[in-house]
Amino acid sequence: MSSDEKKKAAALAALEYVESGTVIGVGTGSTANHFIDALAKTKGKLDGAVASSDVTAERLKKAGIPVLDLNTTGDLPLYVDGADEATKHLHLIKGGGGALTREKIVAAASEKFVCIADDSKLVDVLGAFPLPIEVIPMARSLVARALVKLGGEPVLREGFTTDNGNIILDVHNLKILNPVELEEKLDHLAGVVTNGLFARRPADVLILGADDGVKTLT
Ligand code: 5RP
C-alpha cells in the first residue's frame, strides 16, 4: 500500500468520530485533504467547519461545507488533522505545511483531537523531521541565534509566508527527549509566534494507516 493510500485509510477511519449537526475543526495537508474529500461525500451531515488554513478553507467550500469563524462557534467537539511525526504518547510535530499556528489554535479549542497519518509518521523520539517554528519577520535572526544555543540548526523556509504574514524557521538536528519542556521553552522566545510541537495539548487519538489495516492509539 502506498503512503497516500495509508493516509486515505486513516482519513476514512476518522469519519467515525464525526457527529451529525456539529461544527468541527479541519486541519491542513494531504491527509487532511483526504478527510475533506471523504466529508464531501457525507454532505449535509455537518453544520460547518473551522479551517486551520486558507487552503483548507477553500477546499471545504468547494466540498460544499460552510466555513465558520472560530470566534462565532465557541469550542468545537472535534478537530481532525495530520502530523509530520507522532509518538506513542501522541506528542506531535506539525507545521510541515506551515499552518501550525492556526492548527494549534483549533486544537486548543477542540474537545477531541483526532490525528490521522500513515504509519511512517510514528517515531520513538521526535526531531528527525525539522521542527517548524513560525516567527515574526523582524525577529528572524534573534530567534535563530537562540535556537542555535538550544542545539538546533535553524533553516529559513525560503519563499514561504504563513497565512499570518510570518516566516518559518525549520530546526534541524533536535533530538526531542522532553517535548513538553521544549515546547514551553520555545514559546517563551521573543518573536516566536508558535512552535510545531503539540505536546502540552497532544492528540487524543492517533489513527495510523498501515499495510495490515488501520491502527488506533489512544
Ligand atoms: C500542516 C501540517 C500537516 O498536518 C503535516 O505537515 C502533515 O502533512 P501530510 O498530511 O501532507 O503528510 O502540520 O501544517
Side-chain angles (χ1 to χ4, degrees), residues 7 27-33 81-84 93-100 103 116-118 121 129 157 198:
K7 288 178 181 189
T28 300
S30 56
T31 320
N33 283 347
D81 195 2
D84 300 300
I93 284 185
K94 291 185 46 54
L100 61 163
E103 291 172 343
I116 49 179
D118 67 274
K121 305 282 180 77
F129 188 92
R157 199 177 292 184
F198 284 57

Side-chain angles (χ1 to χ4, degrees), residues 87-103:
T87 68
K88 63 176 192 235
H89 305 294
L90 311 195
H91 295 149
L92 313 172
I93 284 185
K94 291 185 46 54
L100 61 163
T101 297
R102 296 188 189 184
E103 291 172 343

